[in-house]
Amino acid sequence: MPRSAAGTRDRFGSVLPAVASKTVEDVLFPGIDVRVEGVSDSSGILMVEAVSTARPGRCPDCRKQARCVHSTYQRTLDERPLGSRRVVVGLRVRRYFCDRKSCSRTTFVEQVPGLSARYRRSSTGLAGWLRSIAIELGGRPAARLCRRLLLTAGRTRLLRLLTVKDPA
């Protein structure tokens, strides 16, 4: 039974405006507290400049919430590819002072939940993908699949993800 143009518009009319009104943050970082400041595309690499908008972080040792910002700096994180483009996130994060006198840590860097983790150069989403690939395929076959998927990961990195307690 053929549908009329009006029937199609009625059926999809309420969905299409919602999709068109999505922001870059909603598409690339759903539910993550970041603001995208710029996107550039050069030679197949999509460079996304983002800033953390989360509340001040907590000290990893004493768990006290920070009040004073020490400085900011930019981290570079590999992210899951978008289509045929590799995605790299330049994430500007804040370094805080720990105000508690009894705490041995004087400064610490905020982590953006769902995007970054301490000492990692890839996003938590990408680390989850790589860990799943490593579990299913192991060393060299997993590395070959990663090359085909435009993911930067060698066999030793993939195998290390299996032995690390928190790979994100």
Side-chain angles (χ1 to χ4, degrees), residues 7 10 18 22 24 35 47 58 60 77-78 84 98 103 113 134 139 158:
D10 292 339
K22 293 249 185 207
V24 175
R35 181 181 68 242
M47 183 66 185
R58 294 187 176 276
L77 300 171
D78 285 331
S84 63
C98 182
C103 184
L158 292 165

Side-chain angles (χ1 to χ4, degrees), residues 55-122:
R55 292 180 26 194
R58 294 187 176 276
C59 174
D61 290 347
C62 68
R63 305 301 303 157
K64 185 178 189 308
Q65 188 166 3
R67 292 184 300 171
C68 298
V69 175
H70 176 279
S71 60
T72 63
Y73 74 95
Q74 185 165 345
R75 293 179 65 175
T76 302
L77 300 171
D78 285 331
E79 180 57 283
R80 294 166 285 197
L82 187 61
S84 63
R85 290 187 174 95
R86 188 172 154 228
V87 178
V88 177
V89 178
L91 179 65
R92 195 169 56 214
V93 292
R94 297 167 285 199
R95 177 176 290 280
Y96 292 103
F97 287 107
C98 182
D99 298 331
R100 185 165 282 165
K101 300 289 184 206
S102 60
C103 184
S104 62
R105 186 177 298 265
T106 55
T107 64
F108 62 94
V109 175
E110 71 178 328
Q111 301 303 322
V112 180
L115 186 61
S116 67
R118 291 176 69 188
Y119 309 117
R120 302 290 179 201
R121 292 185 182 167
S122 58

Side-chain angles (χ1 to χ4, degrees), residues 11 17 20 46 52 103 112 119 129 139 141 147-148 155 157-158:
R11 186 172 171 202
L46 194 66
S52 171
C103 184
V112 180
Y119 309 117
W129 272 24
R147 278 194 299 275
R148 299 273 301 190
R155 63 184 174 88
R157 178 181 179 194
L158 292 165

Side-chain angles (χ1 to χ4, degrees), residues 18-29:
V19 171
S21 67
K22 293 249 185 207
T23 63
V24 175
E25 288 91 354
D26 294 334
V27 173
L28 292 177
F29 308 112

